Amino acid sequence: MSEKPAQDKLWGGRFSEPTDQFVEAFTASVGFDQRLYRHDIEGSCAHARMLARVGVISDDECEQIQQGLGEILAQIEAGNFHWSVSLEDVHMNVEARLIERIGDVGKKLHTGRSRNDQVATDIRLYLREAIDGILAEIRRLQQGLLDLAEREAETVMPGFTHLQTAQPVTFGHHMMAWFEMLERDHARLVDCRGRVNVMPLGSAALAGTPYPLDRHYTAELLGFERVSDNSLDAVSDRDFAIEFCAAGALIMTHLSRFSEELILWASAQFGFVDLPDRFCTGSSIMPQKKNPDVPELVRGKTGRVNGNLVAMLTLMKAQPLAYNKDNQEDKEPLFDTVDTLAGSLRAFADMVPHIQVRAEAMEAAARGGFATATDLADYLVSKGMAFRDAHEVVGRAVRLGVETGRDLSQMDLDELQGFSSMIQDDVFQVLTLQGSVAARNLHGGTAPAQVRERIREARNRLTPGG
């Protein structure tokens, strides 16, 4: 296809001189919005069928339009379509090619619509599909977490606050914390999808159209749950895209936190886990290195997704109604968020089930740092001591442990009774790691049996029909 002269544009009738070549390139979006081609053609086919249904075009004209659009779709997917910068965007490229293929009938396709409601429809169709794919990746990652949690339901590890040893937990319980974060992420995206799935087509440029459009029929063809109520809002609204970017930023923030733990745990200083070799790289100079590149990259990519959210908010913050050219800038941050989010989730969903846990290293770490100190305080409370007094007693015992290099469980009964006569032989039941974990099972859900029960409940919820 030859380039159309600059002055020979589909909207060129009002203009007396061609567009400046730099301006033409500067304002074109076809370099990035061409990824909307399937959704643009899908929307156009539905629009043509609706125009035929209400008598604006004939059935024969509708058939010609749909056949032409089908041929264009096949040409694009075969890589034989020439995208023209002079035609500005995906919509004008497809329409111009349609007119070239079927003649004047192709010019009737744009009846009753504008690029304003057309692009708003395309983006919603695209994002709805993207959300479905991302939801599937979240579920796949959650399944991997459930498998890992079940495998390590009894593996004791130190729980941390301030990155300092706090209390013992199990690795399975820890993995279920990430499951819960992703469950909220999934719910947010499902909720967002409902607001994405609203059809703006029929709003035209901003004020509707005099043609007898059947918008509900078009919405049914395109799978939209409902049609928009206000034409001004419909063509200019990008809340749904901002909401998606916000949900995406939260997901990436969760993956970034998970990445940070994996990076720490895989280090020689922790040695808690071993990541699969295929998700790591080496050093060009240090032969011993095994770098956790996937978690590091996900942690880094979180910044760009957070930046995309800020870009989208800033884009919309001062726009008057209705559509403005500014909105062309919504696509690149939106597309980048979709791509980055989908890629990061896929990498984690592939990697997590194959993480190898070093149980001995975790247990050894849990034995340091006085992880059962709180359990000793709770033990004294159960004997009748006020908690603040118990806190003071255990604090003094810990100080002795620090001075002598011993854990509380390594002290003998006489030493412990020197801090309080309430301490008896049964104290050692709560000073063991397993005893500590089991003691909090009523409310913390830390005991292996509770972890497994939570896993069963989660699997039932994730299984269709469960």
Side-chain angles (χ1 to χ4, degrees), residues 8 32 43 74 80 127 132 161 257 265 302 402 447:
D8 189 22
F32 50 84
N80 298 325
L127 188 54
D132 289 343
T161 62
R257 294 180 67 193
W265 292 348
T302 302
V402 171

Side-chain angles (χ1 to χ4, degrees), residues 16-161:
S16 60
E17 63 177 359
T19 307
D20 180 89
Q21 285 190 334
F22 169 75
V23 171
E24 187 170 79
F26 182 72
T27 59
S29 61
V30 69
F32 50 84
D33 69 13
Q34 60 184 258
R35 76 156 65 187
L36 297 173
Y37 73 88
R38 283 194 301 105
H39 312 91
D40 191 71
I41 291 173
E42 181 185 4
S44 290
C45 286
H47 184 65
R49 289 178 62 182
M50 181 275 298
L51 290 177
R53 179 185 175 95
V54 300
V56 172
I57 63 175
S58 69
D59 289 342
D60 180 65
E61 288 171 329
C62 176
E63 180 62 29
Q64 290 183 60
I65 289 171
Q66 294 207 82
Q67 182 176 340
L69 289 172
E71 292 169 355
I72 292 169
L73 176 62
Q75 189 178 22
I76 295 172
E77 293 188 335
N80 298 325
F81 189 92
H82 173 70
W83 296 99
S84 171
V85 172
S86 70
L87 289 170
E88 304 173 27
D89 55 34
V90 59
H91 325 292
M92 300 296 274
N93 269 268
V94 171
E95 185 178 344
R97 181 61 59 85
L98 180 67
I99 294 169
E100 184 181 274
R101 295 183 76 91
I102 69 173
D104 287 348
V105 172
K107 297 178 181 179
K108 295 187 176 184
L109 175 60
H110 209 54
T111 305
R113 74 175 182 183
S114 162
R115 276 191 293 177
N116 294 357
D117 62 343
Q118 186 179 359
V119 66
T121 302
D122 289 0
I123 295 173
R124 287 175 182 270
L125 289 171
Y126 163 82
L127 188 54
R128 185 180 69 187
E129 181 181 278
I131 288 173
D132 289 343
I134 290 167
L135 287 172
E137 287 299 318
I138 290 175
R139 285 301 192 221
R140 199 161 68 88
L141 174 52
Q142 286 183 296
Q143 292 285 3
L145 285 167
L146 291 178
D147 291 344
L148 185 57
E150 190 162 36
R151 196 169 77 222
E152 306 294 342
E154 298 186 23
T155 302
V156 177
M157 68 175 292
F160 298 94
T161 62

